[in-house]
């Protein structure tokens, strides 16, 4: 375990500023209305100016207030936050972020968690300051094995696992990788979604809900196809242009943030920009694409698989229809229907409510 502190070289900051200053702005597209053609040009210019004016050193200090470390696991350097609680009865909790996010996802939530939990936040391989995969074949199960080793090294015999987005794949896999140690799995959502195989047995109201799901899932820009088929093609552009990277990532955050017109209305704008900056400084546009390898390998997308090694709780459970299917493969003990409404990244939009829900789930274990 080596203590770690973020310190981006000044030359890298100067280079970023020069590139932002030299942005070649495209022309407006005739007929573009709002987000009909992607990120509105005026909005993108506003965000780019905010990024240029961002006090990076102040944001570094804000994040460096969390104890951070590097350790080698499975041949890869893993970066993680480890924030211990002052509560002698605290339970350990490991949080796994998603894409296109980073450990920054939990920056505003940690203070709400530490009265109850010792908090561990690792960066996925290739994300932030964790070393990128050295070979093909990484998946949620392999990451879960790394997380089990990390928690063992930290001395935690029993702990909760939490995740959203790709973290919702890792957390159940961690329960399977460390049976008897993971005492509960808390997810933001993503379990119980029906598939085409369920259609013949659906009631009329369930079929209507299924059809609505298909509309929702087919909307937006298909990042799975883009990064699953040709990550090198797009990384070449995003790695060279910070404005291009900003446009891509804010487009995805816009799609994921269904609770507001634009992401910064419900998420700290500085944290949004810091997250983009981490991808820029660490080359994350290429190194994070492994999570979509299944597309190139010809495998179909699948929702997180169920597990019964530990009880499961969900922040945004969904309908009774979805819960019934979730219960086929999971021991569901927590399925609230009245939590504060949120988009994809609940920890950023509703940090206090998200932390309270994790604690409520823990109370049921």
């Amino acid at each position: 375990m080596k203590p770690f502190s973020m310190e981006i070289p000044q030359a890298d900051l100067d280079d970023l500023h020069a590139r932002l200053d030299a942005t070649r702005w495209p022309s407006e597209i005739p007929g573009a209305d709002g987000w009909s053609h992607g990120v509105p040009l005026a909005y993108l210019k506003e965000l780019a100016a905010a990024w240029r004016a961002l006090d990076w050193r102040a944001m570094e200090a804000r994040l460096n207030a969390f104890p951070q470390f590097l350790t080698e696991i499975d041949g890869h350097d893993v970066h993680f936050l480890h924030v211990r609680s002052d509560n002698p009865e605290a339970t350990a909790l490991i949080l796994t972020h998603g894409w296109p996010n980073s450990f920054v996802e939990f920056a505003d939530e940690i203070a709400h968690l530490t009265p109850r939990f010792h908090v561990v936040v690792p960066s996925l391989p290739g994300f932030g300051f964790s070393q990128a995969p050295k070979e093909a074949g990484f998946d949620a199960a392999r990451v879960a094995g790394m997380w089990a080793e990390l928690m063992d090294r930290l001395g935690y015999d029993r702990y909760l696992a939490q995740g959203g987005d790709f973290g919702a794949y890792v957390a159940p896999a961690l329960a399977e990788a460390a049976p008897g140690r993971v005492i509960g799995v808390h997810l933001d959502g993503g379990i119980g979604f029906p598939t085409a195989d369920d259609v013949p047995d659906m009631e009329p109201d369930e079929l209507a809900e299924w059809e609505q799901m298909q509309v929702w899932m087919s909307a937006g820009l298909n990042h799975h196809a883009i990064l699953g088929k040709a990550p090198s093609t797009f990384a070449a552009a995003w790695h060279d242009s910070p404005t291009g990277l900003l446009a891509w990532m804010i487009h995805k955050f816009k799609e994921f943030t269904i609770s507001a017109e634009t992401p910064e209305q419900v998420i700290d704008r500085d944290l949004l920009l810091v997250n983009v900056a981490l991808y820029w400084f660490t080359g994350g546009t290429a190194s994070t694409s492994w999570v979509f390898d299944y597309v190139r390998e010809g495998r179909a997308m699948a929702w997180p698989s169920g597990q019964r090694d530990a009880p499961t709780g969900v922040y945004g459970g969904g309908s009774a229809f979805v819960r019934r299917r979730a219960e086929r493969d999971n021991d569901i003990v927590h399925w609230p229907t009245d939590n504060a409404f949120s988009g994809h990244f609940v920890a950023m939009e509703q940090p206090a409510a998200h932390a309270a829900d994790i604690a409520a789930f823990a109370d049921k274990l």
Side-chain angles (χ1 to χ4, degrees):
M1 301 285 181
K2 298 181 294 185
F4 176 84
S5 182
M6 295 171 57
E7 189 172 353
I8 298 301
Q10 186 60 44
D12 290 354
L13 277 173
D14 293 342
D15 175 70
L16 169 63
H17 292 162
R19 289 170 184 264
L20 287 170
D21 290 340
T23 298
R24 295 180 63 221
W25 295 105
S27 58
E28 292 276 13
I29 298 177
D33 180 23
W35 289 76
S36 64
H37 288 63
V39 183
L41 183 59
Y43 177 61
L44 182 59
K45 287 183 176 181
E46 177 185 336
L47 284 181
W51 190 7
R52 178 63 175 84
L54 181 71
D55 186 341
W56 174 260
R57 296 306 181 197
M59 296 306 296
E60 268 188 340
R62 177 178 171 182
L63 295 175
N64 281 335
F66 300 122
Q68 299 174 58
F69 304 86
L70 290 176
T71 189
E72 183 181 326
I73 303 175
D74 193 11
H76 294 77
D77 286 337
V78 174
H79 164 261
F80 66 96
L81 278 59
H82 184 202
V83 187
R84 289 187 59 83
S85 172
D86 293 331
N87 181 355
E89 304 298 323
T91 302
L93 168 69
I94 182 168
L95 305 164
T96 304
H97 65 81
W99 179 96
N101 225 317
S102 63
F103 71 93
V104 172
E105 181 175 341
F106 303 107
D108 278 347
E109 184 177 17
I110 291 175
H112 298 288
L113 291 168
T114 49
R116 177 71 181 273
F117 302 101
H118 302 304
V119 179
V120 179
V121 185
S123 296
L124 288 166
F127 289 70
F129 300 102
S130 282
Q131 191 172 6
K134 297 179 181 178
E135 66 279 327
F138 260 76
D139 57 15
R142 184 162 177 181
V143 174
M146 297 170 72
W147 282 192
E149 171 65 19
L150 174 61
M151 296 302 278
D152 186 57
R153 290 185 190 181
L154 292 173
Y156 293 124
D157 295 329
R158 290 164 55 79
Y159 49 91
L160 293 171
Q162 200 284 330
D165 191 79
F166 191 72
Y169 293 79
V170 175
L174 180 53
E176 296 177 320
R181 290 176 177 264
V182 176
I183 59 176
V185 172
H186 183 278
L187 306 175
D188 294 346
I191 62 171
F193 274 40
T195 68
D197 293 338
D198 297 310
V199 172
D201 298 324
M202 290 182 186
E203 299 295 331
D205 60 332
E206 296 174 342
L207 185 60
E209 186 172 346
W210 157 260
E211 291 172 347
Q212 289 178 341
M213 289 179 181
Q214 303 318 295
V215 173
W216 166 68
M217 290 172 60
S218 62
L221 191 60
N222 191 336
H223 54 283
H224 294 263
I226 290 173
L227 294 177
K229 288 290 187 180
S232 295
T233 300
F234 294 96
W238 296 325
H239 189 72
D240 189 60
S241 169
T243 304
L245 174 63
L246 176 63
W248 165 242
M249 295 191 72
I250 207 65
H251 185 113
K252 295 312 302 181
F253 264 89
K254 156 67 174 177
E255 291 181 352
F256 289 154
T257 311
I258 61 174
S259 58
E261 183 63 28
T262 56
E264 77 277 5
Q265 292 176 341
V266 288
I267 298 174
D268 183 322
R269 187 174 72 173
D270 285 351
L271 288 180
L272 280 170
L273 295 174
V274 166
N275 185 63
V276 177
L278 281 179
Y279 277 70
W280 173 259
F281 290 131
T282 64
T285 55
S287 63
T288 61
S289 64
W290 64 267
V291 299
F292 305 104
D293 280 351
Y294 76 91
V295 177
R296 188 171 52 260
E297 295 166 357
R299 293 183 282 119
M301 177 187 171
W303 295 103
S305 58
Q307 57 79 34
R308 293 192 179 277
D309 289 288
T312 296
V314 184
Y315 178 87
S319 69
F321 169 48
V322 174
R323 177 168 183 167
R324 285 199 304 274
R325 278 151 180 79
E327 288 176 335
R328 293 186 302 190
D329 303 307
N330 301 272
D331 177 18
I332 304 294
V333 301
H334 182 71
W335 192 275
T337 58
D338 58 352
N339 275 334
F341 180 64
S342 175
H344 197 63
F345 295 117
V346 191
M348 298 186 89
E349 292 190 38
Q350 299 286 350
H354 193 239
D357 192 70
I358 297 172
F361 168 61
D363 287 340
K364 298 176 180 179
L365 303 177

